[in-house]
Amino acid sequence: MTPDPGSPPVGRARLADVAALAGVSVGTASKALNGGGRMRPETRQRVLDAVAALGFRPNQAAQSLHTGRSWTVGLVTTDGIGRFSTPVLLGAEDALGAGKISVLLCDTRGDAIREQHHLQTLLERRVDGIIVTGRRTDARPPLTGVTGLESIPVVYALSPSTDPQDTSVVSDDRGGARLAVEHLLATGRTRIAHVTGPEHHAAARDRARHAVEHLAAASLELSTGRVHFGEWSEAWGRRAADAVLRTAPGTDAFFCGNDQIARGVADTLRERGVSVPGDVAVVGYDNWDTMALASRPPLTTIDMNLAEIGRIAALRLLEAIDADPAPGVHTVPCRLVVREST
């Protein structure tokens, strides 16, 4: 039986099939799909309608040969758990997806050898660029050690590069600490304790330093006279809350370095019969729903805007791919999320 000339072809559709159905040349169909060439809008629409009718999928390899691009980027992370890298990845995909660029996720697990292996693989896949992220805000060395890497644009997200000539997109910890302190002051709190993570982590040091600075600007100091450095854990939050209340029983607020610590603080206050926020207010950091919403009461916290960091990093990478890089550190503002703990 002879097929109807106007019916879709059997099997995978080719560009020639699209052109035939749209009534244009193969060259015109190609230009319509690539957004190039000058043609009437209705001509371009006929081609797009033919693509939809045939279920045509462009040959990515052929497109790559034509444009010199693979339309893929790599995302290299040290955050195997995904607590921080997943929101960054989602934000990056939102920005890259508009250009139909695929993201290849590589987890190095913090291992230098594994990182070199992934970089070699990404270069072999001819990625157009690389985004590097992690689970800490500490600066990291630039990617090195793989031949050809110097010709690939790289953008660092959340964990900035130690090279000021690289492009890095980070969260504004200074602004985040200011939002937390100003919110507590606005609710009438003046004896504020600060409980945070390990002092060797940049996030703990930076948030503590900025909290002290913002209190000093209001002619205040920490209720215990010092920062309580410890662990990023609920257990530490519980122990630290006990220590603070022994040292400074008049403390009326806790600004905590992350939501896990804040939840531990809230647990201890509740066990002691201290009303939150009636007697003592609690502010966390990260806006990690698992912790912030499960806390009793739910936590007021600082959102680092991780998805926005990923989105901005992807946009900076696209600019670099188009030979318009923006070196230096780009800061993304934090956001105060007010809940029942204040």
Side-chain angles (χ1 to χ4, degrees):
M1 180 176 177
T2 304
D4 185 340
S7 64
V10 178
R12 178 172 177 145
R14 301 167 301 166
L15 185 59
D17 301 321
V18 171
L21 186 58
V24 299
S25 69
V26 172
T28 298
S30 177
K31 290 176 182 177
L33 291 177
N34 292 327
R38 301 179 63 181
M39 66 187 69
R40 295 168 63 87
E42 52 266 33
T43 302
R44 192 182 303 274
Q45 189 59 51
R46 285 208 314 275
V47 174
L48 296 177
D49 290 343
V51 167
L54 297 172
F56 173 72
R57 297 181 62 186
N59 186 314
Q60 197 71 43
Q63 283 191 325
S64 297
L65 289 172
H66 178 67
T67 63
R69 290 177 58 174
S70 66
W71 304 100
T72 58
V73 303
L75 192 145
V76 177
T77 179
T78 61
D79 180 20
I81 298 175
R83 164 67 190 91
F84 295 98
S85 64
T86 297
V88 171
L89 170 63
L90 294 176
E93 283 190 323
D94 283 346
L96 296 170
K100 298 183 180 178
I101 297 175
S102 300
V103 180
L104 304 178
L105 178 62
C106 301
D107 175 19
T108 70
R109 304 179 194 176
D111 181 80
I113 295 176
R114 188 181 294 269
E115 179 175 278
Q116 294 292 299
H117 168 73
H118 283 311
L119 291 175
Q120 186 63 54
T121 300
L122 291 174
L123 288 175
E124 290 171 357
R125 296 287 295 270
R126 299 177 59 246
V127 295
D128 296 321
I130 297 173
I131 297 174
V132 182
T133 188
R135 61 185 175 186
R136 290 170 58 173
T137 62
D138 299 78
R140 57 151 293 154
L143 298 181
T144 57
V146 178
T147 303
L149 186 62
E150 63 281 353
S151 63
I152 302 293
V154 178
V155 172
Y156 299 82
L158 187 64
S159 305
S161 169
T162 54
D163 187 343
Q165 294 305 308
D166 287 333
T167 300
S168 300
V169 182
V170 302
S171 180
D172 181 11
D173 270 341
R174 186 176 192 278
R178 176 181 57 78
L179 288 172
V181 171
E182 287 184 349
H183 175 67
L184 289 172
L185 295 177
T187 61
R189 317 295 169 155
T190 58
R191 293 181 55 77
I192 301 170
H194 186 53
V195 180
T196 191
E199 190 170 6
H200 64 274
H201 283 206
R205 293 195 311 273
D206 292 345
R207 293 165 195 172
R209 183 177 74 256
H210 297 316
V212 171
E213 290 173 354
H214 291 306
L215 284 172
S219 300
L220 295 171
E221 60 180 21
L222 293 171
S223 65
T224 60
R226 69 180 183 89
V227 175
H228 294 263
F229 290 104
E231 304 164 357
W232 300 116
S233 70
E234 293 176 71
W236 164 238
R238 291 192 289 269
R239 295 197 306 273
D242 277 328
V244 167
L245 294 178
R246 283 197 307 270
T247 304
T251 295
D252 60 13
F254 283 80
F255 169 33
C256 302
N258 79 348
D259 291 337
Q260 289 169 276
I261 294 171
R263 183 174 172 180
V265 167
D267 285 348
T268 290
L269 293 174
R270 186 174 63 253
E271 290 166 2
R272 283 171 165 254
V274 177
S275 172
V276 178
D279 299 321
V280 179
V282 180
V283 174
Y285 210 105
D286 291 343
N287 195 28
W288 185 12
D289 285 355
T290 301
M291 286 291 153
L293 297 180
S295 178
R296 291 293 176 266
L299 294 170
T300 291
T301 184
I302 302 299
D303 192 312
M304 297 171 64
N305 271 337
L306 294 174
E308 182 66 3
I309 289 174
R311 190 184 75 84
I312 296 298
L315 294 177
R316 296 292 86 83
L317 184 65
L318 291 175
E319 292 170 356
I321 291 171
D322 289 335
D324 186 23
V329 177
H330 303 261
T331 303
V332 174
C334 293
R335 181 170 59 95
L336 174 70
V337 179
V338 179
R339 297 192 181 94
E340 288 90 329
S341 68
T342 58

